[in-house]
Amino acid sequence: MPKLKIPERDNLKAIKDYLTLQGFQVCRLHSGGLAKNGRFIKMGCSGLPDLLAVRKECPIFFLEAKGSNGKLSLKQQEMIALLNKAGLNGVVAKAVWSLDEVVDLIEQFKK
């Protein structure tokens, strides 16, 4: 049976929708670049996660969404490690149902 492949953009939208339903304010942290008028404009910094999720009385999360076959770049690995070391909850999610760590923390703060 073939493995289901979920593109990163679909996973990102599903995660953003799920967290919004859980009461989080979710911000897309655009990084990368674009070409405009023959110039390349860089936005953000390398390795910055895709989403910032904030909710009252709950920890802040920085989430890096990946497709089912996606892998973190070295810069992304370093940034997630730095965020976690600073106590800011860097999380990698390949699907909404892989957000166990986030869901556990959400439940802890509901009580």
Side-chain angles (χ1 to χ4, degrees), residues 39-108:
R39 292 181 32 212
F40 184 76
I41 300 168
K42 186 172 166 101
M43 301 177 294
C45 61
S46 296
L48 190 67
D50 297 313
L51 300 173
L52 167 66
V54 181
R55 187 177 84 177
K56 185 179 180 182
E57 299 177 4
C58 197
I60 292 173
F61 291 95
F62 289 86
L63 292 108
E64 177 62 39
K66 288 293 178 191
S68 53
N69 295 331
K71 293 185 168 108
L72 292 176
S73 70
L74 180 58
K75 290 279 189 184
Q76 289 170 326
Q77 291 173 26
E78 291 170 350
M79 182 62 77
I80 294 291
L82 179 64
L83 290 167
N84 285 324
K85 187 174 181 181
L88 294 173
N89 302 305
V91 179
V92 179
K94 291 193 173 190
V96 171
W97 54 86
S98 72
L99 289 173
D100 293 339
E101 179 181 340
V102 175
V103 172
D104 289 346
L105 278 168
I106 290 168
E107 291 303 316
Q108 176 183 333

Side-chain angles (χ1 to χ4, degrees), residues 1-37:
M1 181 175 201
K3 189 175 178 183
L4 178 65
K5 293 183 182 178
I6 302 169
E8 183 172 325
R9 71 179 178 278
D10 294 344
N11 189 33
L12 182 63
K13 182 175 180 346
I15 290 168
K16 188 175 178 184
D17 291 347
Y18 171 78
L19 291 172
T20 300
L21 288 171
Q22 293 295 321
F24 282 86
Q25 293 292 317
V26 183
C27 302
R28 175 78 162 94
L29 302 175
H30 295 278
S31 63
L34 60 97
K36 184 169 182 159
N37 299 329

